[in-house]
């Protein structure tokens, strides 16, 4: 399979819908890169499952459409998760996304939901996958004696934190690191690679082929990132 011709341009920018649950610093990095670098793309909406998510207020202030689908509101339904996911899907699709970008979205998504966005939903996970799927990645990396930690951008598949890898950033684990110091170092690297991975998708510089991500020649160089300094 070969790369598709670029689908987006100034006249038909890619529509990105970003899902967050909290601070939203990755979403901010993405929105700022989009604007600053005049991408043929824009953040069409930011949607949270938590009404108090700080990132929602940031997006609203910048004039980005925001929405909230509060997962706790579905607790009384016979199938709370299905009801939440149906409402979330409706909220997302109202913005006609080309790409759905999970950025600190802290809900596990079911197979039907993932299938609906197959190949067009990305996540960033704060470890060098396939190591340390799930939670507390930094603590576990320190406890395991890792000398490198990092973050991975991957396509979302039904198996949690297991989708095809698009981009990775590695940072050192330094003597005396605790979870917070390492998390801060990884986060800075995330702010570099997530926008790059999304931009490369917008440009058609990577694509899915037989369950693996293929990159256009030369296009992957800045999607593997190592920050040697703290
Ligand atoms: C990031 O470390 C990301 O890898 C993880 O959650 C964190 C979100 O941070 N999935 P922020 O909300 O983008 O600041």
């Amino acid at each position: 399979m070969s790369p598709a011709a670029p689908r987006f341009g100034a006249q038909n920018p890619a529509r990105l819908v970003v899902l967050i649950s909290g601070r939203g610093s990755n979403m901010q990095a993405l929105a700022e890169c989009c604007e600053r670098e005049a991408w043929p793309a824009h953040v069409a909406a930011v949607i949270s499952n938590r009404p108090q998510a700080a990132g929602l207020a940031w997006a609203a202030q910048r004039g980005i459409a925001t929405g909230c689908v509060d997962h706790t509101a579905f607790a009384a339904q016979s199938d709370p998760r299905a009801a939440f996911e149906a409402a979330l899907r409706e909220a997302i699709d109202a913005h006609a996304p080309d790409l759905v970008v999970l950025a600190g979205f802290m809900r596990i998504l079911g197979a039907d939901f993932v299938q609906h966005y197959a190949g067009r939903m990305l996540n960033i996970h704060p470890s060098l996958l396939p190591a340390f799927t799930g939670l507390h990645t930094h603590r576990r990396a320190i406890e395991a004696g890792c000398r490198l930690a990092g973050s991975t951008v991957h396509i979302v598949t039904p198996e949690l934190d297991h989708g095809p890898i698009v981009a990775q950033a590695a940072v050192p684990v330094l003597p005396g690191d605790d979870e917070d110091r390492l998390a801060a170092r990884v986060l800075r690297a995330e702010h570099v690679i997530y926008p790059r991975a999304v931009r490369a998708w917008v440009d058609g510089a990577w694509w899915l082929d037989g369950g693996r991500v293929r990159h256009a020649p030369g296009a992957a160089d800045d999607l593997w990132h190592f920050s040697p300094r703290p």
Side-chain angles (χ1 to χ4, degrees):
M1 204 170 132
S2 58
R7 292 164 54 199
F8 307 107
Q11 302 309 314
N12 60 329
R15 300 176 61 79
L16 313 175
V17 170
V18 187
L19 303 193
I20 63 169
S21 292
R23 156 183 76 182
S25 69
N26 278 289
M27 174 276 294
Q28 294 179 27
L30 180 63
E32 282 170 347
C33 270
C34 252
E35 261 186 51
R36 191 174 59 239
E37 298 170 5
W39 294 8
H42 71 280
V43 176
V46 175
I47 297 172
S48 172
N49 65 308
R50 291 208 178 104
Q52 304 310 327
L56 278 183
W58 184 92
Q61 262 175 9
R62 289 185 71 107
I64 298 172
T66 59
C68 181
V69 182
D70 184 347
H71 64 281
T72 63
F74 300 90
Q77 307 267 337
S78 59
D79 186 342
R81 186 160 100 170
F84 166 66
E85 289 185 359
L88 182 61
R89 193 169 132 170
E90 200 174 309
I92 295 170
D93 288 350
H95 297 281
D98 294 298
L99 187 70
V100 176
V101 180
L102 307 186
F105 185 68
M106 299 304 285
R107 303 302 297 172
I108 292 174
L109 296 165
D112 288 349
F113 186 95
V114 170
Q115 184 55 36
H116 180 66
Y117 299 104
R120 55 188 182 112
M121 183 156 62
L122 296 183
N123 183 43
I124 189 159
H125 179 76
S127 77
L128 293 172
L129 290 174
F132 305 122
T133 60
L135 297 174
H136 310 301
T137 54
H138 307 305
R139 187 195 312 163
R140 289 157 61 207
I142 291 169
E143 284 172 2
C146 294
R147 300 298 298 267
L148 287 175
S151 189
T152 303
V153 178
H154 66 95
I155 296 175
V156 178
T157 55
E159 195 179 355
L160 185 69
D161 302 331
H162 268 84
I165 290 173
V166 176
Q168 285 186 310
V171 303
V173 181
L174 297 175
D177 264 356
D178 59 14
E179 206 175 337
D180 290 346
R181 281 177 49 141
L182 181 56
R185 190 175 308 123
V186 170
L187 192 67
R188 283 195 292 279
E190 292 190 319
H191 296 166
V192 175
I193 55 158
Y194 213 3
R196 285 182 186 172
V198 173
R199 175 67 197 259
W201 179 85
V202 169
D203 290 344
W206 61 261
W207 60 97
L208 199 52
D209 177 17
R212 279 196 60 181
V213 170
R214 306 283 173 200
H215 297 84
D221 297 353
D222 64 0
L223 299 182
W224 319 116
H225 177 74
F226 179 55
S227 313
R229 283 184 296 277

Short mmCIF file of all heavy atoms in Angstrom, two decimals, residues 5-58:
data_model
loop_
_atom_site.label_atom_id
_atom_site.label_comp_id
_atom_site.label_asym_id
_atom_site.label_seq_id
_atom_site.Cartn_x
_atom_site.Cartn_y
_atom_site.Cartn_z
N ALA A 5 -2.72 10.57 -1.54
CA ALA A 5 -2.42 11.97 -1.85
C ALA A 5 -2.94 12.82 -0.70
O ALA A 5 -3.93 12.46 -0.06
CB ALA A 5 -3.12 12.35 -3.14
N PRO A 6 -2.26 13.92 -0.39
CA PRO A 6 -2.73 14.76 0.73
C PRO A 6 -4.20 15.14 0.53
O PRO A 6 -4.60 15.57 -0.55
CB PRO A 6 -1.83 15.99 0.64
CG PRO A 6 -0.62 15.54 -0.11
CD PRO A 6 -1.07 14.44 -1.03
N ARG A 7 -4.99 14.93 1.56
CA ARG A 7 -6.43 15.16 1.45
C ARG A 7 -6.82 16.57 1.84
O ARG A 7 -7.93 17.01 1.59
CB ARG A 7 -7.17 14.20 2.38
CG ARG A 7 -7.10 12.76 1.98
CD ARG A 7 -7.52 11.87 3.14
NE ARG A 7 -8.81 12.21 3.71
CZ ARG A 7 -9.22 11.82 4.93
NH1 ARG A 7 -8.45 11.11 5.69
NH2 ARG A 7 -10.42 12.16 5.37
N PHE A 8 -5.91 17.27 2.54
CA PHE A 8 -6.31 18.53 3.15
C PHE A 8 -5.48 19.70 2.64
O PHE A 8 -4.33 19.53 2.25
CB PHE A 8 -6.18 18.42 4.68
CG PHE A 8 -6.91 17.23 5.24
CD1 PHE A 8 -6.21 16.12 5.68
CD2 PHE A 8 -8.30 17.21 5.27
CE1 PHE A 8 -6.89 15.01 6.17
CE2 PHE A 8 -8.98 16.09 5.75
CZ PHE A 8 -8.27 15.00 6.20
N GLY A 9 -6.10 20.86 2.64
CA GLY A 9 -5.39 22.06 2.22
C GLY A 9 -6.06 23.26 2.87
O GLY A 9 -6.99 23.10 3.69
N ALA A 10 -5.61 24.45 2.49
CA ALA A 10 -6.15 25.65 3.12
C ALA A 10 -7.66 25.76 2.93
O ALA A 10 -8.39 26.26 3.79
CB ALA A 10 -5.44 26.87 2.54
N GLN A 11 -8.14 25.29 1.77
CA GLN A 11 -9.58 25.40 1.49
C GLN A 11 -10.40 24.31 2.17
O GLN A 11 -11.60 24.47 2.37
CB GLN A 11 -9.83 25.33 -0.03
CG GLN A 11 -9.12 26.40 -0.83
CD GLN A 11 -9.37 27.79 -0.25
OE1 GLN A 11 -10.49 28.16 0.08
NE2 GLN A 11 -8.29 28.56 -0.08
N ASN A 12 -9.77 23.19 2.44
CA ASN A 12 -10.48 22.09 3.12
C ASN A 12 -9.62 21.53 4.25
O ASN A 12 -9.06 20.44 4.17
CB ASN A 12 -10.86 20.98 2.12
CG ASN A 12 -9.65 20.38 1.45
OD1 ASN A 12 -8.64 21.06 1.25
ND2 ASN A 12 -9.69 19.09 1.14
N PRO A 13 -9.47 22.31 5.32
CA PRO A 13 -8.62 21.88 6.44
C PRO A 13 -9.19 20.65 7.14
O PRO A 13 -10.41 20.46 7.20
CB PRO A 13 -8.63 23.10 7.37
CG PRO A 13 -9.85 23.87 7.00
CD PRO A 13 -10.12 23.60 5.56
N ALA A 14 -8.27 19.84 7.67
CA ALA A 14 -8.69 18.68 8.45
C ALA A 14 -9.36 19.15 9.74
O ALA A 14 -8.91 20.09 10.38
CB ALA A 14 -7.47 17.83 8.79
N ARG A 15 -10.41 18.44 10.10
CA ARG A 15 -11.14 18.78 11.32
C ARG A 15 -10.69 17.83 12.43
O ARG A 15 -10.88 16.61 12.32
CB ARG A 15 -12.65 18.67 11.09
CG ARG A 15 -13.16 19.61 9.98
CD ARG A 15 -14.64 19.39 9.73
NE ARG A 15 -15.43 19.66 10.91
CZ ARG A 15 -15.78 20.86 11.34
NH1 ARG A 15 -15.39 21.94 10.65
NH2 ARG A 15 -16.50 21.02 12.43
N LEU A 16 -10.10 18.39 13.46
CA LEU A 16 -9.61 17.59 14.58
C LEU A 16 -10.56 17.77 15.76
O LEU A 16 -10.89 18.91 16.11
CB LEU A 16 -8.21 18.05 15.00
CG LEU A 16 -7.19 18.25 13.86
CD1 LEU A 16 -5.88 18.82 14.43
CD2 LEU A 16 -6.93 16.94 13.14
N VAL A 17 -11.00 16.67 16.35
CA VAL A 17 -11.78 16.76 17.59
C VAL A 17 -10.94 16.11 18.69
O VAL A 17 -10.48 14.97 18.55
CB VAL A 17 -13.15 16.08 17.45
CG1 VAL A 17 -13.84 15.97 18.80
CG2 VAL A 17 -14.03 16.88 16.48
N VAL A 18 -10.69 16.87 19.74
CA VAL A 18 -9.79 16.43 20.81
C VAL A 18 -10.61 16.08 22.05
O VAL A 18 -11.46 16.86 22.49
CB VAL A 18 -8.76 17.53 21.15
CG1 VAL A 18 -7.72 16.99 22.12
CG2 VAL A 18 -8.07 18.04 19.88
N LEU A 19 -10.33 14.90 22.60
CA LEU A 19 -11.01 14.47 23.83
C LEU A 19 -10.05 14.58 25.01
O LEU A 19 -8.91 14.08 24.93
CB LEU A 19 -11.49 13.02 23.73
CG LEU A 19 -12.43 12.64 22.58
CD1 LEU A 19 -13.05 11.27 22.85
CD2 LEU A 19 -13.52 13.66 22.38
N ILE A 20 -10.48 15.21 26.07
CA ILE A 20 -9.65 15.40 27.26
C ILE A 20 -10.45 15.01 28.50
O ILE A 20 -11.68 14.87 28.46
CB ILE A 20 -9.18 16.87 27.40
CG1 ILE A 20 -10.39 17.80 27.61
CG2 ILE A 20 -8.37 17.31 26.19
CD1 ILE A 20 -10.01 19.21 28.03
N SER A 21 -9.71 14.90 29.62
CA SER A 21 -10.39 14.69 30.91
C SER A 21 -9.92 15.69 31.96
O SER A 21 -10.51 15.75 33.04
CB SER A 21 -10.13 13.28 31.45
OG SER A 21 -10.75 12.31 30.63
N GLY A 22 -8.87 16.43 31.68
CA GLY A 22 -8.31 17.28 32.73
C GLY A 22 -7.62 18.51 32.20
O GLY A 22 -8.18 19.27 31.42
N ARG A 23 -6.35 18.62 32.57
CA ARG A 23 -5.55 19.81 32.27
C ARG A 23 -5.49 20.14 30.79
O ARG A 23 -5.56 21.29 30.39
CB ARG A 23 -4.18 19.48 32.87
CG ARG A 23 -2.98 20.11 32.38
CD ARG A 23 -1.80 19.51 33.13
NE ARG A 23 -1.47 18.18 32.62
CZ ARG A 23 -0.52 17.41 33.10
NH1 ARG A 23 0.20 17.82 34.13
NH2 ARG A 23 -0.27 16.24 32.57
N GLY A 24 -5.31 19.15 29.94
CA GLY A 24 -5.36 19.40 28.50
C GLY A 24 -4.12 20.05 27.93
O GLY A 24 -4.19 20.75 26.90
N SER A 25 -2.96 19.81 28.52
CA SER A 25 -1.77 20.49 27.99
C SER A 25 -1.38 19.95 26.61
O SER A 25 -0.86 20.69 25.77
CB SER A 25 -0.59 20.40 28.97
OG SER A 25 -0.11 19.08 29.07
N ASN A 26 -1.63 18.68 26.35
CA ASN A 26 -1.35 18.16 25.00
C ASN A 26 -2.29 18.77 23.98
O ASN A 26 -1.89 19.08 22.85
CB ASN A 26 -1.45 16.63 24.99
CG ASN A 26 -0.18 15.98 25.49
OD1 ASN A 26 0.84 15.99 24.81
ND2 ASN A 26 -0.24 15.42 26.70
N MET A 27 -3.53 18.93 24.36
CA MET A 27 -4.49 19.59 23.47
C MET A 27 -4.05 21.02 23.17
O MET A 27 -4.12 21.49 22.03
CB MET A 27 -5.88 19.56 24.14
CG MET A 27 -6.97 20.31 23.45
SD MET A 27 -7.02 22.07 23.85
CE MET A 27 -7.45 22.04 25.59
N GLN A 28 -3.55 21.70 24.21
CA GLN A 28 -3.09 23.08 24.01
C GLN A 28 -1.90 23.12 23.05
O GLN A 28 -1.84 23.97 22.15
CB GLN A 28 -2.69 23.71 25.35
CG GLN A 28 -3.84 23.89 26.29
CD GLN A 28 -3.41 24.49 27.63
OE1 GLN A 28 -2.42 25.20 27.73
NE2 GLN A 28 -4.16 24.18 28.66
N ALA A 29 -0.96 22.20 23.25
CA ALA A 29 0.21 22.15 22.37
C ALA A 29 -0.23 21.94 20.93
O ALA A 29 0.28 22.58 20.00
CB ALA A 29 1.16 21.04 22.81
N LEU A 30 -1.20 21.07 20.74
CA LEU A 30 -1.70 20.78 19.40
C LEU A 30 -2.39 22.01 18.79
O LEU A 30 -2.11 22.40 17.65
CB LEU A 30 -2.68 19.60 19.48
CG LEU A 30 -3.31 19.14 18.20
CD1 LEU A 30 -2.27 18.63 17.22
CD2 LEU A 30 -4.34 18.04 18.49
N ALA A 31 -3.28 22.61 19.55
CA ALA A 31 -4.02 23.78 19.03
C ALA A 31 -3.06 24.92 18.71
O ALA A 31 -3.21 25.62 17.69
CB ALA A 31 -5.07 24.21 20.06
N GLU A 32 -2.07 25.11 19.57
CA GLU A 32 -1.12 26.21 19.35
C GLU A 32 -0.25 25.96 18.11
O GLU A 32 0.00 26.86 17.32
CB GLU A 32 -0.25 26.42 20.60
CG GLU A 32 -1.01 27.17 21.67
CD GLU A 32 -0.30 27.20 23.01
OE1 GLU A 32 0.67 26.44 23.19
OE2 GLU A 32 -0.75 27.97 23.88
N CYS A 33 0.19 24.70 17.93
CA CYS A 33 0.99 24.37 16.74
C CYS A 33 0.17 24.58 15.47
O CYS A 33 0.66 25.13 14.49
CB CYS A 33 1.44 22.92 16.78
SG CYS A 33 2.99 22.69 17.59
N CYS A 34 -1.07 24.12 15.51
CA CYS A 34 -1.97 24.27 14.36
C CYS A 34 -2.04 25.73 13.90
O CYS A 34 -1.93 26.03 12.72
CB CYS A 34 -3.38 23.92 14.81
SG CYS A 34 -4.03 22.41 14.22
N GLU A 35 -2.22 26.60 14.88
CA GLU A 35 -2.37 28.02 14.57
C GLU A 35 -1.04 28.65 14.15
O GLU A 35 -0.95 29.30 13.12
CB GLU A 35 -2.87 28.74 15.82
CG GLU A 35 -4.37 28.98 15.78
CD GLU A 35 -4.79 29.82 16.97
OE1 GLU A 35 -4.19 30.90 17.19
OE2 GLU A 35 -5.72 29.37 17.64
N ARG A 36 -0.04 28.42 14.99
CA ARG A 36 1.26 29.07 14.78
C ARG A 36 1.88 28.67 13.45
O ARG A 36 2.45 29.49 12.75
CB ARG A 36 2.19 28.68 15.94
CG ARG A 36 3.48 29.46 16.01
CD ARG A 36 4.27 29.13 17.26
NE ARG A 36 4.61 27.72 17.36
CZ ARG A 36 4.24 26.93 18.37
NH1 ARG A 36 3.51 27.40 19.36
NH2 ARG A 36 4.61 25.66 18.40
N GLU A 37 1.71 27.39 13.09
CA GLU A 37 2.35 26.89 11.88
C GLU A 37 1.38 26.86 10.69
O GLU A 37 1.70 26.32 9.64
CB GLU A 37 2.91 25.49 12.15
CG GLU A 37 3.98 25.50 13.24
CD GLU A 37 4.39 24.09 13.71
OE1 GLU A 37 3.91 23.10 13.12
OE2 GLU A 37 5.17 24.01 14.67
N ALA A 38 0.19 27.44 10.90
CA ALA A 38 -0.82 27.54 9.82
C ALA A 38 -1.03 26.21 9.11
O ALA A 38 -0.96 26.12 7.89
CB ALA A 38 -0.42 28.65 8.84
N TRP A 39 -1.30 25.16 9.90
CA TRP A 39 -1.56 23.84 9.32
C TRP A 39 -2.83 23.88 8.46
O TRP A 39 -3.75 24.65 8.74
CB TRP A 39 -1.83 22.82 10.41
CG TRP A 39 -0.72 22.49 11.31
CD1 TRP A 39 0.51 23.07 11.42
CD2 TRP A 39 -0.76 21.44 12.30
NE1 TRP A 39 1.24 22.45 12.41
CE2 TRP A 39 0.49 21.46 12.96
CE3 TRP A 39 -1.72 20.51 12.69
CZ2 TRP A 39 0.79 20.57 13.99
CZ3 TRP A 39 -1.43 19.63 13.70
CH2 TRP A 39 -0.17 19.66 14.34
N PRO A 40 -2.92 22.99 7.49
CA PRO A 40 -4.22 22.79 6.83
C PRO A 40 -5.12 21.90 7.71
O PRO A 40 -5.56 20.82 7.32
CB PRO A 40 -3.82 22.08 5.52
CG PRO A 40 -2.57 21.36 5.86
CD PRO A 40 -1.86 22.15 6.92
N ALA A 41 -5.34 22.38 8.92
CA ALA A 41 -6.11 21.63 9.92
C ALA A 41 -6.48 22.60 11.03
O ALA A 41 -5.80 23.61 11.24
CB ALA A 41 -5.26 20.51 10.52
N HIS A 42 -7.56 22.28 11.74
CA HIS A 42 -7.85 23.07 12.93
C HIS A 42 -8.58 22.21 13.96
O HIS A 42 -9.20 21.19 13.61
CB HIS A 42 -8.64 24.33 12.59
CG HIS A 42 -10.04 24.06 12.19
ND1 HIS A 42 -10.39 23.65 10.93
CD2 HIS A 42 -11.21 24.12 12.89
CE1 HIS A 42 -11.69 23.48 10.85
NE2 HIS A 42 -12.22 23.74 12.02
N VAL A 43 -8.50 22.65 15.21
CA VAL A 43 -9.21 21.94 16.27
C VAL A 43 -10.67 22.40 16.20
O VAL A 43 -11.00 23.54 16.54
CB VAL A 43 -8.58 22.23 17.65
CG1 VAL A 43 -9.40 21.56 18.75
CG2 VAL A 43 -7.13 21.73 17.68
N ALA A 44 -11.52 21.50 15.72
CA ALA A 44 -12.93 21.86 15.54
C ALA A 44 -13.67 21.85 16.87
O ALA A 44 -14.63 22.61 17.05
CB ALA A 44 -13.59 20.88 14.57
N ALA A 45 -13.23 21.03 17.80
CA ALA A 45 -13.91 20.98 19.10
C ALA A 45 -13.03 20.27 20.11
O ALA A 45 -12.20 19.42 19.75
CB ALA A 45 -15.24 20.26 18.99
N VAL A 46 -13.23 20.63 21.36
CA VAL A 46 -12.61 19.93 22.50
C VAL A 46 -13.75 19.42 23.36
O VAL A 46 -14.64 20.19 23.76
CB VAL A 46 -11.70 20.87 23.30
CG1 VAL A 46 -11.17 20.17 24.54
CG2 VAL A 46 -10.55 21.38 22.44
N ILE A 47 -13.74 18.12 23.62
CA ILE A 47 -14.84 17.49 24.38
C ILE A 47 -14.24 16.77 25.57
O ILE A 47 -13.22 16.07 25.46
CB ILE A 47 -15.62 16.52 23.47
CG1 ILE A 47 -16.27 17.31 22.33
CG2 ILE A 47 -16.68 15.76 24.27
CD1 ILE A 47 -16.90 16.44 21.26
N SER A 48 -14.88 16.95 26.71
CA SER A 48 -14.40 16.32 27.95
C SER A 48 -15.49 15.43 28.54
O SER A 48 -16.67 15.64 28.30
CB SER A 48 -14.02 17.42 28.95
OG SER A 48 -13.73 16.85 30.21
N ASN A 49 -15.07 14.47 29.34
CA ASN A 49 -16.03 13.71 30.12
C ASN A 49 -16.16 14.28 31.53
O ASN A 49 -16.92 13.75 32.34
CB ASN A 49 -15.61 12.23 30.21
CG ASN A 49 -14.31 12.05 30.96
OD1 ASN A 49 -13.32 12.70 30.64
ND2 ASN A 49 -14.31 11.20 31.97
N ARG A 50 -15.38 15.34 31.81
CA ARG A 50 -15.46 15.97 33.14
C ARG A 50 -15.74 17.46 32.95
O ARG A 50 -14.94 18.17 32.32
CB ARG A 50 -14.13 15.83 33.88
CG ARG A 50 -13.82 14.41 34.29
CD ARG A 50 -12.94 14.39 35.54
NE ARG A 50 -12.68 13.03 35.95
CZ ARG A 50 -11.54 12.38 35.75
NH1 ARG A 50 -10.55 12.99 35.15
NH2 ARG A 50 -11.40 11.14 36.15
N PRO A 51 -16.84 17.94 33.54
CA PRO A 51 -17.20 19.35 33.34
C PRO A 51 -16.12 20.30 33.85
O PRO A 51 -15.98 21.40 33.31
CB PRO A 51 -18.49 19.53 34.16
CG PRO A 51 -18.86 18.20 34.70
CD PRO A 51 -17.81 17.20 34.35
N GLN A 52 -15.37 19.89 34.87
CA GLN A 52 -14.38 20.81 35.47
C GLN A 52 -13.02 20.77 34.78
O GLN A 52 -12.08 21.43 35.24
CB GLN A 52 -14.18 20.47 36.96
CG GLN A 52 -15.44 20.49 37.79
CD GLN A 52 -16.25 21.77 37.59
OE1 GLN A 52 -15.70 22.85 37.34
NE2 GLN A 52 -17.57 21.65 37.63
N ALA A 53 -12.88 20.01 33.72
CA ALA A 53 -11.57 19.87 33.06
C ALA A 53 -11.02 21.25 32.70
O ALA A 53 -11.67 22.02 31.98
CB ALA A 53 -11.70 19.01 31.81
N ALA A 54 -9.81 21.54 33.18
CA ALA A 54 -9.23 22.87 32.97
C ALA A 54 -9.06 23.17 31.47
O ALA A 54 -9.19 24.31 31.04
CB ALA A 54 -7.89 22.97 33.68
N GLY A 55 -8.80 22.14 30.70
CA GLY A 55 -8.59 22.33 29.27
C GLY A 55 -9.82 22.87 28.55
O GLY A 55 -9.70 23.54 27.52
N LEU A 56 -11.00 22.60 29.09
CA LEU A 56 -12.23 23.11 28.46
C LEU A 56 -12.27 24.63 28.51
O LEU A 56 -12.61 25.28 27.51
CB LEU A 56 -13.47 22.57 29.19
CG LEU A 56 -13.97 21.17 28.86
CD1 LEU A 56 -15.24 20.89 29.65
CD2 LEU A 56 -14.21 21.01 27.36
N ALA A 57 -11.92 25.17 29.67
CA ALA A 57 -11.94 26.63 29.83
C ALA A 57 -10.90 27.27 28.91
O ALA A 57 -11.16 28.31 28.28
CB ALA A 57 -11.67 27.00 31.28
N TRP A 58 -9.74 26.64 28.82
CA TRP A 58 -8.68 27.17 27.94
C TRP A 58 -9.17 27.21 26.50
O TRP A 58 -9.01 28.22 25.80
CB TRP A 58 -7.43 26.30 28.08
CG TRP A 58 -6.27 26.81 27.28
CD1 TRP A 58 -5.29 27.65 27.71
CD2 TRP A 58 -5.96 26.51 25.90
NE1 TRP A 58 -4.40 27.89 26.69
CE2 TRP A 58 -4.77 27.22 25.57
CE3 TRP A 58 -6.58 25.74 24.92
CZ2 TRP A 58 -4.20 27.16 24.31
CZ3 TRP A 58 -6.00 25.68 23.65
CH2 TRP A 58 -4.83 26.38 23.36
#
